[in-house]
Amino acid sequence: MTAGFVEFEFDLPDALLASLIKICDGMSAASLTPQNVITIPEAQGVYQLLHNGKIVYIGKTDADAGLRRRLERHAWTIQHRLNLAPADVTFKAVRIFVFTAIDLEAQLIRHYSNVAPLLWNNSGFGSNDPGRNRDDTDLRPTGFDAKYPIDLDHDVHFSVETGTSASAVLTGLRAALPYTLRVEAEERNKRRSHAELVSTIVKTLPAAPRTTRSVLLAVLASLPPGWQATALAGRVILYRETKSYRFGSIIGRSPQANI
């Protein structure tokens, strides 16, 4: 060793991870509600979701899709689920002002996975609609949607009047649901509602409180032959078809389709 000289290499990744773990473990969790989430800045950072006090999900955000927007999305996703009470889900969020090249999300997942499984990571939780081509694929028994299926009989609140087109009713219902409602569109223009949905008037609607099931059955009762509503993993589809899905259940069909 040279007199008056020493080499020192600072392990930035380990130091940052250790500091972040200490912060997360030392802070209190808050209920994952819109009232709490609205106070979180739209900023980059990392967050944890906890179910009954146990960490089940770890995520990371950037400034473009920040903490508030991501937590709002998760708070919406956990609504209308069987076997899952939203009041049992809490969160911890940490704003990080400077992101390094370190993959903090992967590091945190690795650390906490050594303590207990993160049951919602890689489970399909928070995923976007996989699209029509995935409607008949396997449903993983350990996935989020398998453990917490959508509740078709939960109250839904949206303004709709008798004498409205099926397309308008479905548009209102879709906006009120915390899960995907996918409806068949015109073949040539996927953004335009199917002609039969536009031309069909829903003559009778259930009185409030309405549910997803009751609204869909009312729409189906007004549609011409051949329409079917199906509950799949984490989503509902309404198509001009009479088809059984391996991992889905038929909600109902337009009356003539049963003949």
Side-chain angles (χ1 to χ4, degrees):
M1 180 179 293
T2 304
F5 171 79
V6 67
E7 291 183 343
F8 169 72
E9 181 179 357
F10 181 67
D11 193 335
L12 178 60
D14 279 357
L16 179 59
L17 180 63
S19 296
L20 194 53
I21 291 170
K22 184 177 180 180
I23 291 172
C24 290
D25 290 350
M27 66 187 294
S28 299
S31 295
L32 188 60
T33 63
Q35 294 80 4
N36 287 334
V37 171
I38 196 65
T39 64
I40 305 299
E42 185 65 3
Q44 61 187 5
V46 295
Y47 63 93
Q48 300 174 345
L49 299 184
L50 300 89
H51 182 224
N52 291 324
K54 296 181 180 180
I55 302 172
V56 290
Y57 189 86
I58 290 175
K60 179 182 73 173
T61 70
D62 55 32
D64 293 331
L67 288 168
R68 183 196 303 151
R69 191 182 311 175
R70 188 68 59 81
L71 290 170
E72 283 176 340
R73 177 181 174 184
H74 292 327
W76 187 233
T77 298
I78 63 174
Q79 306 295 319
H80 298 203
R81 295 278 176 166
L82 298 171
N83 310 322
L84 180 62
D88 294 335
V89 183
T90 56
F91 74 93
K92 296 180 180 181
V94 180
R95 180 177 185 176
I96 301 178
F97 286 92
V98 178
F99 265 131
T100 69
I102 304 166
D103 190 341
L104 292 174
E105 183 181 28
Q107 296 272 25
L108 287 170
I109 289 174
R110 186 177 301 112
H111 170 78
Y112 285 103
S113 293
N114 289 329
V115 179
L118 300 176
L119 299 178
W120 294 5
N121 276 100
N122 301 314
S123 70
F125 173 74
S127 299
N128 295 321
D129 181 11
R132 180 64 165 158
N133 293 334
R134 297 286 299 277
D135 284 346
D136 212 14
T137 55
D138 291 355
L139 176 62
R140 286 187 296 161
T142 57
F144 181 82
D145 291 326
K147 293 182 66 175
Y148 310 109
I150 54 177
D151 185 359
L152 299 175
D153 298 307
H154 195 287
D155 292 354
V156 290
H157 304 282
F158 67 103
S159 298
V160 62
E161 298 179 359
T162 300
T164 303
S165 71
S167 176
V169 172
L170 293 168
T171 297
L173 177 60
R174 182 188 293 113
L177 293 179
Y179 49 83
T180 295
L181 168 60
R182 188 172 359 101
V183 178
E184 183 159 337
E186 285 291 352
E187 186 65 29
R188 294 182 179 180
N189 186 345
K190 297 301 183 182
R191 295 184 179 182
R192 181 181 300 169
S193 295
H194 192 283
E196 289 184 350
L197 297 177
V198 175
S199 63
T200 297
I201 300 301
V202 181
K203 299 177 180 179
T204 303
L205 281 168
R210 302 181 179 95
T211 67
T212 300
R213 189 190 306 276
S214 67
V215 173
L216 288 175
L217 290 176
V219 170
L220 287 167
S222 300
L223 284 171
W227 287 85
Q228 174 181 304
T230 307
L232 298 174
R235 61 194 182 278
V236 172
I237 60 174
L238 179 69
Y239 278 87
R240 208 176 192 292
E241 63 182 5
T242 53
K243 175 181 177 180
S244 296
Y245 290 83
R246 292 177 61 203
F247 298 95
S249 59
I250 297 173
I251 299 170
R253 291 171 173 162
S254 51
Q256 297 89 334
N258 294 322
I259 298 174

